[in-house]
Amino acid sequence: MKTVTVVVSVYNEEQALPEFYKEAKRVLNGLSWEHELLFVNDGSVDGSLQVLEKLAAQDERVRLVSFSRNFGHEAAMIAGLDYSRGDMVICMDADLQHPPECIPKILEAAEAGCDVVNMVRTKNRSAGLLKGITSAAFYKVINALSDVEFEANASDFFAVSRRVVLVLKDSYREKVRFLRGYVQNVGFRRTNLEYEAGVRVAGQSKYSIRKLFSFAVNTILCFSNLPLKLGIYAGAVTGALGFAVMIYTIWTWVRVGAPDGYATIVVLICFMFAVLFLIVGIIGEYIAILFSELKDRPIYIVEKTENINQSRAT
């Protein structure tokens, strides 16, 4: 009998966990697949760890990996993939915005031979107008800059087969990463399933506008080198502008004599320095990513586990 591993990233979800466990078990118990619930505690500072330990004590199919501190949602999902044992691995959140009711459809796609199942969100009732606009804009920008075509509104709710898990474990270990992008980039047989995000059962989003902006910038830099070429385009534009100003200056000198060029010079200098600093900043972001890779620090560190035989930090 095949096994499905449901990986759940947890960060301060004390109130949501009992309801998620109840709903997930209701769905999983009705499947023909064996199952395990693998919770990754991402350094929660509330009572999430205690709730998970209690669940692991009463249900041997609940497995727990707890980090030594908060390493981020992406690191938690990677740890879940590392410790998973299932033939199919489903990554989802604990707040029930990723409905467990979708699991049977995901497994139907797996049984049809799909190695990657992207869950595409059609509606999010808890997201505001600003978040919806910024999300749409992000995918338009990344698709315009990158050679990889990303599915708009694809979320961190996805499923991958065992062989895809092995590829992600062995070959996609960047320190600055975009896991849902890697899932769409590995190839293999893939399908998309639509879902409507449920209402958050408890708590609030852990992503602030600042974190989302930083995440978007890192994603663009990871999947595109086009920003590095901005200097070429900026040089061409600046050269064309300088040529136009030269023509204007000559024309003014012929018509009215020597022009007063103070304002023109100030504007040109400010413009060129702005372009220069922008390019230097972009190069600095790429260097920061390279520096993170060169330091080769662990993606996560495990403090304790429950119902797991092996213990590792990677």
Side-chain angles (χ1 to χ4, degrees), residues 14 108 125 143 157 181 186 188 229 244:
E14 176 184 6
E108 287 178 9
R125 287 173 287 177
N143 283 331
F157 185 17
V186 293
F188 300 103
K229 301 176 182 178

Side-chain angles (χ1 to χ4, degrees), residues 213-251:
F213 178 77
S214 176
F215 180 71
V217 170
N218 287 335
T219 300
I220 292 172
L221 298 183
C222 286
F223 278 91
S224 176
N225 61 0
L226 188 59
L228 283 174
K229 301 176 182 178
L230 184 62
I232 299 174
Y233 306 132
V237 171
T238 305
L241 181 62
F243 181 77
V245 171
M246 181 186 69
I247 297 299
Y248 171 77
T249 302
I250 294 174
W251 179 79

Side-chain angles (χ1 to χ4, degrees), residues 37-190:
L37 277 167
L38 177 54
F39 291 96
V40 181
N41 176 44
D42 186 22
S44 299
V45 295
D46 63 354
S48 296
L49 179 58
Q50 289 71 32
V51 173
L52 293 174
E53 289 175 332
K54 182 178 179 180
L55 292 176
Q58 68 186 31
D59 186 351
E60 62 180 9
R61 291 180 176 178
V62 172
R63 305 171 71 218
L64 170 62
V65 175
S66 184
F67 289 172
S68 60
R69 64 170 177 83
N70 177 252
F71 284 88
H73 182 57
E74 296 264 316
M77 288 191 293
I78 289 176
L81 294 175
D82 289 343
Y83 281 89
S84 67
R85 299 180 299 189
D87 301 286
M88 202 71 182
V89 180
I90 302 174
C91 291
M92 59 195 310
D93 293 340
D95 55 17
L96 289 179
Q97 286 198 297
H98 298 162
E101 290 79 8
C102 295
I103 293 176
K105 292 183 178 180
I106 294 174
L107 297 183
E108 287 178 9
E111 290 173 343
C114 293
D115 289 290
V116 177
V117 180
N118 290 314
M119 301 302 294
V120 180
R121 185 177 57 245
T122 59
K123 186 177 180 181
N124 188 354
R125 287 173 287 177
S126 63
L129 177 62
L130 178 60
K131 189 171 183 180
I133 293 175
T134 54
S135 177
F138 165 74
Y139 279 104
K140 287 186 179 295
V141 171
I142 188 64
N143 283 331
L145 296 179
S146 174
D147 295 332
V148 180
E149 185 69 21
F150 295 101
E151 187 69 34
N153 293 323
S155 66
D156 289 325
F157 185 17
F158 60 83
V160 290
S161 66
R162 171 52 46 185
R163 62 175 177 173
V164 175
V165 170
L166 294 177
V167 170
L168 293 173
K169 288 174 63 175
D170 295 338
S171 304
Y172 287 83
R173 308 299 294 188
E174 288 93 336
K175 311 305 177 187
V176 180
R177 72 201 71 83
F178 182 47
L179 186 56
R180 78 182 76 158
Y182 298 155
V183 168
Q184 297 185 49
N185 191 38
V186 293
F188 300 103
R189 185 176 175 185
R190 187 179 76 182

Side-chain angles (χ1 to χ4, degrees), residues 1-5 33-36 85-89 107:
M1 186 178 293
K2 291 185 177 180
T3 302
V4 57
T5 299
W33 292 50
E34 288 290 336
H35 69 268
E36 63 177 11
R85 299 180 299 189
D87 301 286
M88 202 71 182
V89 180
L107 297 183

